[in-house]
Amino acid sequence: MGQWWQGGAIYQVYVRSFMDSDGDGVGDLAGITQRLDYLSWLGIDGIWLSPTMPSPNEDWGYDVSDYLGVDPALGTMGDLEDLIAEARPRGMAVLLDLVPNHTSREHPWFQAALRGPDDPHRDLYVWAPPGPGGGPPNNWLAAGGGPAWTLDPSSGQYYLHQFLPAQPDLNWWNPEVGERFDDILRWWFDRGVAGFRIDVAHGLVKDALLRDDPPASEDDHPMAGRHGLRRVYSANRPEVHDIYRRWRRIADSYDPARVLLGETWVFDPHQLAAFYGDGDELHLAFNFSFLFSDFNAPCLARVVRETMGALPEGACPVWTGSNHDVSRLVSRWCAGERSRAGAALVLLCTLPGTVVLYYGDEIGMADVDVPVAEARDRMGLGDPEGQPPRDRARTPMQWEAGPGCGFTSAPRPWLPVGDCLQVNVADQREDPGSLLSLTRRLLSLRRDGMIPTGGRYEEVAVGDRLWVYGVGEATVAVNLSDEGAPVELPDGPLLVSSSPGALEDGVLGPWGAVVVGRPS
Ligand code: NOJ
């Protein structure tokens, strides 16, 4: 029998924004426990928690200062254990976010490393002398666009950081780093954690010779490079696969096996496929080509075709449309038009494989304009390439209409709330034509096998407007345009319609989507 994540529905909870149980304006673990019945009602199999470990929060938990703890702002170890224990009988597993590429500057390992080149912790990080003529050792750039190196004045050496200077990169050439992470994995697996989403999964190993990254070319995917450089030496090294083979052995030694879901920021389908190894590396790997695809039939269908063509036999694809780093799917894919979001949800939930929904996707939450004075994200704001500040996709879950959106009783949540008068869970639960009802129906059909998540993908037709595909014995048709499109469908039962009357007289309405079951 397959494992739960093969074809399962995983739900990303941005912990600080999901549910505030204690009225301090910040979401917390106990709040998630309070909302488990909702997630189980929705049909979720696994919950991925955005970072929960102690952190000075320069990058909201992606700068870990203790890999074995829980950030007190989010709760206690007891709260996390309760959440895991309460999720289990509801048929849901809990995944944590693991950040192995870098630690926080405040982590005791880095603090010790700063004592000087002779400290035994020094080699846990990547250090290098200045380059010829002084300045950074090579041309690698950090996510914000500046040099990926910061000078440690007391030793005259630079340390590497692919993100903020407050996030020094670990040195994965040092076997001791690997051993420490083996222990971290086991520590959490022993506590019932069902797996990890692995941050920067493609980037842990860097070129041992610290060679310069070459310039990006026109053929590169716009998101593949970094500020004009193609990341062939600062990330994407082949040796990263050794790490995942080793972690896979650890994950598979548990019963039930634990799951490894990589943030694989690669744009070549064969490179993506490589993260699955021969069934001996990651179980699941995020597909960013899909997430960043234009929202039209030819582009989306091409990504799916290429992904399916590249993945090894038995590998489970992952489909996602939003996360905490990018604009939400309603705003990015659907140009802010919620009426298009049903098409997105049908695609995400019918393509064979695992779906990862971001909290709020199921109700069509849109980005929220966060005034600069209330911004919380340092990296997003500092990005000279004009990436939208990430705060806009991290605002509180809209549970109900009202001042705190049912998220908090505090007068000021940590980020401003969106328009919960228009968009909220409570109203959509009552409305059979809502996005929430659609998502729930899609997930329940997946569970029942009516939408076969392990089925074979078959491209039936791709036009300017229409995309039709078969998944096992079901057929999906999506109209990704503003005009109605005639469609020929098999004579099976209409299992799902993105909105009432989306299909009429053989014409699929604008942004309409339907799923037709096996003809009897
Ligand atoms: C990817 C995470 O998703 C993002 O939020 C974070 O800033 C970087 N990795 C650095 O950890």
Side-chain angles (χ1 to χ4, degrees), residues 146-471:
W149 299 93
T150 287
L151 182 68
D152 164 39
S154 69
S155 65
Q157 289 192 327
Y158 282 82
Y159 68 87
L160 180 68
H161 53 86
Q162 302 274 351
F163 297 91
L164 298 171
Q167 295 167 295
D169 276 34
L170 286 160
N171 173 16
W172 277 91
W173 288 104
N174 179 352
E176 208 185 318
V177 171
E179 285 156 21
R180 287 175 186 231
F181 272 86
D182 289 355
D183 291 345
I184 292 167
L185 257 64
R186 290 199 180 94
W187 160 273
W188 289 111
F189 290 161
D190 288 344
R191 276 157 186 77
V193 165
F196 288 110
R197 175 267 189 185
I198 302 159
D199 192 55
V200 199
H202 58 291
L204 308 194
V205 183
K206 286 86 186 173
D207 182 43
L209 302 175
L210 304 183
R211 281 171 282 188
D212 277 354
D213 277 333
S217 85
E218 277 180 5
D219 298 337
D220 289 329
H221 189 286
M223 302 306 290
R226 184 171 272 181
H227 310 287
L229 295 180
R230 183 188 298 158
R231 304 194 62 206
V232 288
Y233 293 121
S234 58
N236 301 316
R237 303 308 299 160
E239 297 83 0
V240 79
H241 297 283
D242 297 338
I243 300 172
Y244 299 129
R245 278 190 282 273
R246 178 168 162 156
W247 287 8
R248 176 67 175 254
R249 284 195 294 274
I250 297 175
D252 284 356
S253 71
Y254 282 79
D255 185 17
R258 307 310 201 231
V259 57
L260 303 173
L261 161 62
E263 189 211 11
T264 38
W265 191 268
V266 294
F267 292 86
D268 173 320
H270 298 285
Q271 232 179 337
L272 179 67
F275 281 96
Y276 291 85
D278 289 327
D280 58 355
E281 295 192 34
L282 300 180
H283 302 92
L284 299 171
F286 273 116
N287 185 339
F288 286 99
S289 301
F290 184 77
L291 182 141
F292 285 117
S293 167
D294 287 344
F295 197 57
N296 64 48
C299 290
L300 287 162
R302 183 166 60 85
V303 174
V304 171
R305 189 185 316 128
E306 290 179 355
T307 304
M308 294 308 197
L311 289 198
E313 183 74 27
C316 184
V318 181
W319 310 109
T320 196
S322 309
N323 68 34
H324 62 290
D325 289 330
V326 300
S327 176
R328 284 181 175 276
L329 66 83
V330 165
S331 302
R332 189 168 36 83
W333 270 350
C334 304
E337 303 285 340
R338 199 158 289 108
S339 55
R340 301 182 187 181
L345 289 165
V346 169
L347 290 176
L348 288 167
C349 295
T350 57
L351 286 166
T354 298
V355 56
V356 181
L357 295 173
Y358 186 48
Y359 79 100
D361 277 352
E362 73 276 25
I363 52 171
M365 262 172 72
D367 289 355
V368 174
D369 277 330
V370 175
V372 172
E374 290 173 57
R376 299 295 199 139
D377 175 30
R378 298 177 192 205
M379 203 156 347
L381 272 183
D383 189 335
E385 289 189 350
Q387 291 291 312
R390 297 179 298 179
D391 289 328
R392 66 176 55 194
R394 299 177 177 181
T395 58
M397 180 66 173
Q398 295 169 199
W399 293 105
E400 59 193 42
C405 290
F407 160 74
T408 185
S409 56
R412 273 175 74 89
W414 83 294
L415 276 173
V417 294
D419 183 0
C420 50
L421 270 182
Q422 292 295 323
V423 178
N424 69 63
V425 170
D427 289 349
Q428 292 197 21
R429 265 184 99 138
E430 303 299 314
D431 175 3
S434 68
L435 290 172
L436 181 58
S437 300
L438 170 68
T439 309
R440 182 167 184 250
R441 170 136 184 90
L442 286 161
L443 297 184
S444 100
L445 287 167
R446 286 167 70 96
R447 281 212 170 155
D448 295 348
M450 306 284 277
I451 298 177
T453 55
R456 226 171 57 82
Y457 170 81
E458 188 197 345
E459 187 175 291
V460 177
V462 181
D464 289 345
R465 287 179 268 167
L466 205 62
W467 177 17
V468 183
Y469 54 87
V471 188

